[in-house]
Amino acid sequence: MTLLRVAALAALPLALSAPIAAQPAGQTILVWSFGFSPHPIQLAAGRPVTLAFVNRSGSSHDFTAKTFFGTSRILRGDAADGEVELKPYETKVVTLIPRAGTYTAHCSHFMHSMLGMSDRIIVS
Ligand SMILES: [Cu+2]
């Protein structure tokens, strides 16, 4: 039996036992020098969402949104001090329940916000 086949069989019980509806919605947020996408980020209020922050650049960046993370209920992942730190090419995942509102986000590294690393998060 091939390794791929073993892996597929091992994953089968999990796939059957986890209904799709129970999974939080997913949203990928791309990070690069110098920008974020999507722009703005739109999320559903009061619904769990898994945010994947994908740093596509060879530089460190962060996604700082103190009010957004501060008013959200964080279910999984780390957004300590209202920011997600990303090393070069790193991806970090945060699952949270956002509260309705419009929030700002930016990279706190020197000058990066001015160069285009700012965004808005609209939760409705
Ligand atoms: Cu940056």
Side-chain angles (χ1 to χ4, degrees):
M1 195 180 283
T2 66
L3 196 61
L4 193 65
R5 211 160 174 186
V6 173
L9 285 174
L12 198 58
L14 188 67
L16 292 175
S17 64
I20 300 292
Q23 303 293 323
Q27 169 78 64
T28 299
I29 296 160
L30 299 179
V31 177
W32 69 90
S33 306
F34 296 92
F36 296 119
S37 176
H39 199 287
I41 297 160
Q42 296 188 296
L43 303 174
R47 299 244 184 102
V49 62
T50 296
L51 305 174
F53 298 91
V54 180
N55 184 1
R56 291 176 131 185
S57 80
S59 302
S60 295
H61 293 290
D62 62 52
F63 185 92
T64 298
K66 292 186 189 299
T67 307
F68 171 71
F69 288 119
T71 57
S72 294
R73 189 148 76 87
I74 310 287
L75 303 176
R76 193 163 58 90
D78 183 18
D81 297 323
E83 57 183 89
V84 175
E85 302 274 355
L86 298 163
K87 296 188 184 95
Y89 303 109
E90 187 178 27
T91 293
K92 279 189 180 166
V93 173
V94 178
T95 301
L96 52 75
I97 302 176
R99 182 177 292 202
T102 299
Y103 309 92
T104 57
H106 70 282
C107 176
S108 70
H109 291 209
F110 183 65
M111 296 281 282
H112 287 198
S113 179
M114 281 179 65
L115 292 167
M117 298 193 77
S118 65
D119 208 338
R120 277 192 313 149
I121 307 162
I122 300 167
V123 183
S124 57

